[in-house]
């Protein structure tokens, strides 16, 4: 199964990935994790991406696309059960690039899970998380970037008939059940 997780920062995508991996055997690609690893390793790529991450802006297209291309190539070869993307695509250009890439390798998406959580809850969660880029100013900017650049993907994937909305509030277990129902319907 080939899945994209879509939702605002703090909507709970990362929290649910383990349960999805355990049930469906998909491999996961999280661009935020990949970028943080590059920063931690002090690579050239990490050095380029860090100022954007610190400011809550999107890292440059070429950096992120390169990481996705590499990740997907490896995954397509090593995991027949498919993949799940967390934090990618984050704008229309990335979504279109992903479409092109997946069409080329003959592995189109099966579902885009959209985590629906209201704004106040998101801010509360992000402030409680304590990651380096979770200070108030960066959070505000990340949400602005989400609204402006990522939220239009809800329409984009709705038009393609791929979007399934999941209510992202309640206990982790409740949310997990809703996700399972949505994924089982396309599995
Ligand atoms: P995340 O862990 O998904 O919240 O990502 C943390 C930060 O990494 C974001 O605020 C961006 O600066 C950067 N980032 C992650 N994924 C992407 C992406 N697909 N495109 C551009 N920047 C990204």
């Amino acid at each position: 199964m080939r899945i994209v997780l879509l939702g605002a920062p703090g909507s709970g995508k990362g929290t649910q990935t383990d349960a999805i991996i355990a049930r469906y055997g998909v491999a996961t690609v999280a661009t935020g994790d990949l970028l943080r690893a590059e920063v931690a390793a002090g690579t050239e790529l990490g050095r380029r991406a860090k100022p954007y991450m610190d400011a809550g802006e999107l890292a440059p297209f070429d950096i992120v696309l390169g990481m996705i291309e590499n990740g997907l190539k490896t995954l397509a070869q090593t995991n027949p059960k498919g993949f799940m993307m967390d934090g990618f695509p984050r704008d229309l250009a990335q979504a279109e690039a992903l479409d092109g890439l997946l069409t080329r390798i003959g592995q189109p998406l099966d579902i885009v899970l959209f985590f629906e959580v209201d704004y106040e809850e998101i801010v509360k969660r992000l402030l409680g998380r304590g990651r380096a880029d979770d200070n108030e100013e960066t959070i505000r900017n990340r949400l602005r970037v989400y609204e402006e650049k990522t939220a239009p993907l809800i329409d984009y994937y709705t038009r393609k008939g791929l979007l399934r909305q999941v209510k992202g509030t309640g206990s982790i277990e409740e949310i997990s059940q809703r996700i399972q129902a949505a994924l089982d319907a396309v599995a």
Side-chain angles (χ1 to χ4, degrees), residues 31-32 35-36 53 57-59 64 87-88 90 94 131 142:
T31 42
L35 286 168
R36 279 184 289 279
M53 298 167 77
E57 295 288 336
L58 297 186
V64 177
F88 181 93
R90 241 176 167 103
Q94 291 183 7
R131 214 170 68 186
R142 285 167 65 205

Side-chain angles (χ1 to χ4, degrees), residues 7-10 13 30-36 49-61 63-65 67-68 86-91 94 126 129 131 133-134 138 141-142 145 150:
K13 305 185 298 292
T31 42
D33 289 346
L34 293 176
L35 286 168
R36 279 184 289 279
K50 188 171 187 301
Y52 296 92
M53 298 167 77
D54 288 344
E57 295 288 336
L58 297 186
F61 181 80
I63 293 185
V64 177
L65 197 69
M67 290 191 328
I68 283 287
D86 173 4
F88 181 93
R90 241 176 167 103
D91 64 14
Q94 291 183 7
L126 289 174
R129 201 163 69 170
R131 214 170 68 186
D133 58 351
D134 281 343
T138 306
N141 200 40
R142 285 167 65 205
V145 169
T150 312

Side-chain angles (χ1 to χ4, degrees), residues 37-157:
E38 297 284 345
V39 172
T43 64
E44 170 63 26
L45 197 153
R47 270 195 297 278
R48 270 183 73 203
K50 188 171 187 301
Y52 296 92
M53 298 167 77
D54 288 344
E57 295 288 336
L58 297 186
F61 181 80
D62 63 309
I63 293 185
V64 177
L65 197 69
M67 290 191 328
I68 283 287
E69 276 172 347
N70 286 338
L72 272 182
K73 252 180 238 151
T74 317
L75 284 184
Q77 282 158 9
T78 56
N79 193 327
K81 298 222 162 142
F83 57 79
M84 171 171 60
M85 297 200 182
D86 173 4
F88 181 93
R90 241 176 167 103
D91 64 14
L92 228 63
Q94 291 183 7
E96 284 166 357
L98 179 64
D99 275 351
L101 198 68
L102 294 181
T103 302
R104 276 203 300 284
I105 62 174
Q107 303 207 18
L109 292 174
D110 296 303
I111 183 169
V112 175
L113 273 182
F114 169 54
F115 288 60
E116 191 249 306
V117 178
D118 71 43
Y119 193 83
E120 268 169 45
E121 172 73 19
I122 295 257
V123 174
K124 207 171 73 188
R125 286 186 192 178
L126 289 174
L127 281 171
R129 201 163 69 170
R131 214 170 68 186
D133 58 351
D134 281 343
N135 64 75
E136 210 166 332
E137 200 184 322
T138 306
I139 288 175
R140 220 175 297 125
N141 200 40
R142 285 167 65 205
L143 289 171
R144 192 186 56 72
V145 169
Y146 169 77
E147 283 302 331
E148 188 185 315
K149 302 193 165 156
T150 312
L153 297 184
I154 298 167
D155 267 1
Y156 178 83
Y157 285 120

